[in-house]
Amino acid sequence: MDDLDAYIRSRAEGDLFHWDSQVDAAERFGTTLARVEEAALAQGLLPARYQRNRQAISVNDQLTLFRSTVAVIGCGGLGGYVIEELARLGVGTIIAIDPDVFEEHNLNRQLLSSPGTLGRAKVEAAAARVAEINPAITLLPREEAYAPENGKDLLRGAQVIVDALDSIQTRLALAKTCTELGVPMVHGAIGGWYGQVATQFPGDDTVQKLYRRWVEGKGVEQKLGNPSFTPALVASIEVAEVCKILLGVGEPLHNRKLSVNLLEIIFVSIDMIHDPPSAAD
């Protein structure tokens, strides 16, 4: 390890450690790109791929992100963008959970879908995409459906859980599992031009309040559809929430719901303690 640290220092340019040096170090010392990245960050050196993060995210914060694990439930419209952004942000381990394969109707909005991935498992495509854009990140694919019975095993080790589901029943079950695990959950939902985001910490019941009038069905997505831009925006807000939670900065959407109306460009933060309206679903 000392030799690796010394090599990393010798190849640094100022406080930056470039990708070609990261690859060379992994090959030279017979180790993983992940180990090299962590070693660089631990020495206060910033992998050059993250240099445009530096004004918002310090090197120490980047190390915190790299040592973090985030679970994403659903790898479709929301989940594909969430996984892409977490990997580019530098979150070290991503657990991707989804039992489905890509179908043709996914092509209009799901980032990981393409004609070449039709019929392919979504988690498999997610793993391939992360390996392509940031090989130092570990993606753990779980090609199975989350359920209360297997939830704790699937989510073990996650510090934040991202709800990218399209089933309200499953979402409510997930919120309960997150509470039992003592792990924050970032909720996102979309339908047509509209979306919402909320962050539920252990002990809260924000998601239950949002859907307290729900009876059955998947929600407004089935009625309103989804163009390409809605999941991209809502997923980005979810990732910002994850980043704030992991780093302990800013003000998460705790006990609040952010309601997004892209048709009229209206963003409203709603107090879920004193004025908790139900979701339209």
Side-chain angles (χ1 to χ4, degrees):
M1 189 66 177
D2 290 342
D3 290 342
L4 174 61
D5 288 343
Y7 178 79
I8 290 171
R9 288 193 297 272
S10 74
R11 293 293 296 269
E13 296 183 14
D15 68 342
L16 292 180
F17 186 59
H18 289 278
W19 179 251
D20 57 350
S21 298
Q22 191 170 342
V23 173
D24 186 65
E27 294 175 350
R28 183 182 295 259
F29 292 93
T31 190
T32 63
L33 290 164
R35 184 185 175 203
V36 175
E37 183 155 310
E38 183 173 18
L41 287 165
Q43 294 186 74
L45 299 173
L46 186 66
R49 69 177 295 126
Y50 304 122
Q51 59 190 295
R52 293 300 179 93
N53 286 358
R54 73 157 83 230
Q55 300 305 319
I57 298 171
S58 69
V59 177
N60 284 338
D61 285 344
Q62 201 69 60
L63 178 59
T64 297
L65 292 175
F66 185 78
R67 288 175 171 171
S68 297
T69 299
V70 175
V72 182
I73 318 296
C75 300
L78 285 173
Y81 283 102
V82 169
I83 289 167
E84 173 94 6
E85 294 181 26
L86 290 174
R88 290 188 183 275
L89 183 63
V91 172
T93 303
I94 303 168
I95 304 169
I97 302 168
D98 197 308
D100 295 334
V101 300
F102 285 114
E103 301 178 47
E104 195 166 351
H105 64 83
N106 301 143
L107 293 173
N108 79 313
R109 71 197 183 284
Q110 296 194 11
L111 181 65
L112 301 176
S113 68
S114 69
T117 62
L118 294 178
R120 187 179 187 186
K122 292 184 179 182
V123 294
E124 183 182 311
R129 177 64 177 171
V130 168
E132 178 184 7
I133 62 175
N134 193 350
I137 300 305
T138 300
L139 186 136
L140 303 175
R142 301 288 185 259
E143 192 180 348
E144 54 185 303
Y146 157 83
E149 296 74 24
N150 65 2
K152 291 182 180 179
D153 288 335
L154 285 176
L155 303 173
R156 183 175 290 112
Q159 289 144 287
V160 182
I161 294 163
V162 180
D163 161 25
L165 292 158
D166 64 357
S167 164
I168 295 171
Q169 181 177 1
T170 307
R171 177 175 289 134
L172 289 168
L174 176 61
K176 182 178 179 182
T177 298
C178 291
T179 294
E180 292 170 351
L181 290 172
V183 177
M185 167 181 157
V186 178
H187 156 69
I190 50 178
W193 293 78
Y194 310 99
Q196 64 184 32
V197 182
T199 293
Q200 179 162 305
F201 285 87
D204 297 343
D205 59 354
T206 303
V207 173
Q208 289 86 345
K209 287 177 179 177
L210 282 170
Y211 296 103
R212 71 184 187 276
R213 294 179 184 169
W214 171 77
V215 179
E216 61 182 9
K218 285 193 172 185
V220 296
E221 181 180 357
Q222 301 302 304
K223 299 176 183 178
L224 302 180
N226 269 314
S228 61
F229 45 80
T230 313
L233 175 63
V234 171
S236 294
I237 298 170
E238 287 192 280
V239 173
E241 288 291 286
V242 170
C243 187
K244 289 186 291 184
I245 294 167
L246 292 175
L247 299 182
V249 299
E251 293 291 336
L253 287 164
H254 182 208
N255 291 320
R256 291 184 291 152
K257 177 187 80 168
L258 179 66
S259 179
V260 176
N261 175 345
L262 292 175
L263 193 60
E264 299 170 296
I265 308 300
I266 298 172
F267 292 72
V268 180
S269 177
I270 299 170
D271 185 337
M272 293 301 297
I273 295 179
H274 301 105
D275 184 23
S278 295
D281 310 80

